[in-house]
Amino acid sequence: MALSRGLRCCQRVFSWIPVLIITSVVLWSYYAYVFELCLFTLTNTLEKVAYLLVFHVCFVMFSWTYWKSIFTPPASPCKKFQLSYSDKQRYEMEERPDAQKQILVEIAKKLPIFTRAQSGAIRFCDRCQVLKPDRCHHCSVCETCVLKMDHHCPWVNNCVGFSNYKFFLLFLSYSMLYCVFIAATVFQYFLKFWVGDLPNGPAKFHVLFLMFVALMFFVSLMFLFGYHCWLVAKNRSTLEAFSAPVFVAGPDRNGFNVGRCNGHGFLTSFYLLLCNEHVSQGNGHYFPLKNRSSESRNPLLANEDMWEESDDGSEDGGLGESL
């Protein structure tokens, strides 16, 4: 027991290393740009002020979205998806797998659950003891079930999911803007140092490497941001892109893509990204489906008041209001 706790503690400490690497690179880029380039190399006061002003706007937005991506906790299923004491006792006392599956099916009839496991059974997490809502997955690193889990990102040491996917996308976009601005403004001085028009000194080393690092990160971020824009346009998560969600009728990679006509094209997603707390439609526990007939067959969703009246806690109330 003590050994496993020690290993988990070491794992948590080492998991911050990628974040420390990114933070160190960003802090160095701040010093190289502000001090070595703007204060020690530039001679035009107006150019110096303009560069510093725009740079700090990009730096603040980048730092804020990175902070939010790291420290926004992953959203977990609410109490409605946890087994009640009687259901848990009945489930644990039952030894037959088929009977256990039937118990979960009966409980799931009261919940907006449409996806299934590969075997066709109700998705149930033995570790968290919850019925998994649609698009919810268990993260072995965070040790919890995450609503609309996209992936676990080591560079933010956090699960990217329903609660922070917006901040993750904004982090990628502001990171690209940060790199593009640095590369565009450093380029002329990079050439001057390269051909020897400016004297050798500490600034030369910082400016040359600043150019290379900015371009390297920009190319990497461009592909990653483009991939996530494609996922947003298709209303998919990274996990769903690799493994199609399974419904009663079978796997369907486009099961949650309700289409432009129903208000979830790329422009709508971009509007949600700028103006809303979350990128996609839905409340984390329930998402609109491409096949509307599945929703109409669920008596819970056919009568929204039924869900709202059954809510008895503030944590569950948000789910009822969103439905």
Side-chain angles (χ1 to χ4, degrees), residues 12 18 63-64 66 73 79 96 104 112 116 129-130 191 198 212 225 234 238 240 277 301 304 307 317:
R12 290 174 182 173
S63 301
W64 173 69
Y66 191 43
K79 293 181 179 179
R96 295 171 299 171
L104 295 179
R116 299 291 185 265
Q129 291 292 296
V130 297
L191 292 178
L198 291 175
F212 284 122
F225 182 70
K234 296 291 185 179
T238 299
E240 291 166 353
E277 184 180 355
L301 297 180
E304 298 180 4
W307 178 265

Side-chain angles (χ1 to χ4, degrees), residues 39-56:
L39 297 183
F40 301 153
T41 303
L42 297 183
T43 56
N44 188 308
T45 304
L46 182 61
E47 184 181 23
K48 185 182 301 186
V49 171
Y51 281 11
L52 286 173
L53 180 63
V54 178
F55 173 81
H56 279 91

Side-chain angles (χ1 to χ4, degrees), residues 221-268:
L221 290 166
M222 180 179 63
F223 285 106
L224 183 59
F225 182 70
Y227 176 69
H228 278 278
C229 285
W230 178 79
L231 290 177
V232 169
K234 296 291 185 179
N235 195 11
R236 294 178 193 165
S237 66
T238 299
L239 293 177
E240 291 166 353
F242 284 94
S243 179
V246 179
F247 298 86
V248 176
D252 186 358
R253 202 176 298 275
N254 295 313
F256 296 103
N257 185 10
V258 296
R260 291 186 180 88
C261 295
N262 290 319
H264 197 8
F266 182 76
L267 293 178
T268 303

Side-chain angles (χ1 to χ4, degrees), residues 304-316:
E304 298 180 4
D305 295 335
M306 184 186 302
W307 178 265
E308 295 181 4
E309 290 174 1
S310 64
D311 289 334
D312 53 2
S314 58
E315 183 180 358
D316 304 329

Side-chain angles (χ1 to χ4, degrees), residues 54 168 200:
V54 178
F168 179 74
N200 291 331

